[in-house]
């Protein structure tokens, strides 16, 4: 995603953080972990939001790729699938280049139109012995009369482990970069509508059925709680 840790921290500075959607923040941090969360509402159905989400080459930010071209990025939305990037071959005057590749994350759960979960360390985190879990949920929004009014897209990225970064710095940097991708996806769907607000509890928790009783099904997995 980014070539060096030093370059990463330079690019992921305050100007990017100021450009993220409302509802974006570092929600937790400790000496060995951090959590960032973003929510944005778009005027699109969950189906259309899903189709856009799984085509990152159309909306991911070029500046946060290894090849400097987001069109080289692909995502296979099935368990074991790769969120990958092709590194095009560069032929020289006296040699032939070889194509390279990067695995940004691996898909561990894909429920079309509802949730995408992936594991992996993005950008400079790839060089560290950490694990990251990215969960993106899509929730239909209803208007005052119960009519479809769009989709709320909520991202959460949980990173834990040993890393050679100051948590306060890297967490804010990662938060800013994730925010850029959230806005990129929203713009691909026509742009964000009113900033996501936490009206009836946290949107991420509600997407996963927080507070459900024992044995109740969560809306994103259909699997009884506890499995």
């Amino acid at each position: 995603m980014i070539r060096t840790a030093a370059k990463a921290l330079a690019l992921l500075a305050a100007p990017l953080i100021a450009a993220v959607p409302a509802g974006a923040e570092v929600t937790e941090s400790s000496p060995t972990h951090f959590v960032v969360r973003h929510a944005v509402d778009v005027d699109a159905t969950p189906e259309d939001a899903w189709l856009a989400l799984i085509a990152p080459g159309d909306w991911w930010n070029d500046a946060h790729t290894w090849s400097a071209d987001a069109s080289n990025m692909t995502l296979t939305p099935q368990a074991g699938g790769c969120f990958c990037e092709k590194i095009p071959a560069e032929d020289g005057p006296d040699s032939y280049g070889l194509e390279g590749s990067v695995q940004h994350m691996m898909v561990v759960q894909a429920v079309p139109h509802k949730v995408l979960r992936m594991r992996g360390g993005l950008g400079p985190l790839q060089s560290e012995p950490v694990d990251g879990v990215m969960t993106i949920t899509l929730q239909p929004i209803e208007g005052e009369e119960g009519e479809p009014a769009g989709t709320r897209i909520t991202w959460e990225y949980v990173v834990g482990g040993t890393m050679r970064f100051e948590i306060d710095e890297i967490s804010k940097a990662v938060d800013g970069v994730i925010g850029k991708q959230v806005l990129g996806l929203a713009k691909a769907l026509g742009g964000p509508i009113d900033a996501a607000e936490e009206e009836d509890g946290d949107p991420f928790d509600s997407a996963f059925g927080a507070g459900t009783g024992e044995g109740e099904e969560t809306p994103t997995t259909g699997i009884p709680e506890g499995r």
Side-chain angles (χ1 to χ4, degrees):
M1 188 175 175
I2 300 179
R3 300 181 187 280
T4 66
K7 182 179 179 182
L9 291 175
L11 291 175
L12 304 177
L16 293 186
I17 298 172
V20 303
E25 63 176 323
V26 178
T27 61
E28 293 182 27
S29 66
S30 77
T32 59
H33 94 289
F34 65 88
V35 181
V36 299
R37 186 177 296 179
H38 292 250
V40 64
D41 292 348
V42 294
D43 185 13
T45 65
E47 291 81 2
D48 287 341
W50 175 264
L51 292 175
L53 172 63
I54 62 176
D58 294 338
W59 51 266
W60 196 269
N61 189 286
D62 289 338
H64 299 294
T65 66
W66 291 92
S67 63
D69 185 352
S71 67
N72 291 316
M73 305 182 85
T74 58
L75 196 160
T76 303
Q78 62 185 36
C82 187
F83 173 27
C84 286
E85 180 181 350
K86 177 179 68 176
I87 308 296
E90 295 183 2
D91 294 334
D94 301 314
S95 65
Y96 294 102
L98 296 176
E99 186 175 274
S101 62
V102 178
Q103 176 179 287
H104 292 284
M105 302 186 114
M106 184 180 73
V107 176
V108 295
Q109 185 183 81
V111 182
H113 315 159
K114 293 183 179 180
V115 61
L116 177 69
R117 178 174 291 131
M118 302 179 288
R119 302 187 76 103
L122 291 172
L125 297 174
Q126 191 179 76
S127 66
E128 306 302 301
V130 301
D131 192 17
V133 179
M134 175 80 78
T135 303
I136 304 171
T137 62
L138 309 177
Q139 292 179 272
I141 302 170
E142 292 186 353
E144 294 181 359
E145 303 298 325
E147 74 280 5
T151 300
R152 174 163 296 178
I153 306 174
T154 306
W155 299 51
E156 186 180 73
Y157 190 35
V158 183
V159 177
T162 301
M163 63 193 85
R164 295 170 293 179
F165 296 105
E166 294 292 334
I167 291 292
D168 286 346
E169 293 181 9
I170 192 64
S171 62
K172 291 176 182 177
V174 170
D175 181 60
V177 168
I178 296 299
K180 295 281 284 187
Q181 315 321 318
V182 174
L183 283 175
L185 175 58
K187 289 177 180 178
L189 290 164
I193 53 179
D194 293 341
E197 297 177 359
E198 298 179 4
E199 297 175 354
D200 298 314
D202 188 274
F204 187 87
D205 292 338
S206 64
F208 282 90
T212 57
E214 183 177 354
E216 292 186 12
E217 293 185 349
T218 63
T220 54
T221 64
I223 300 173
E225 189 175 336
R227 288 193 184 178

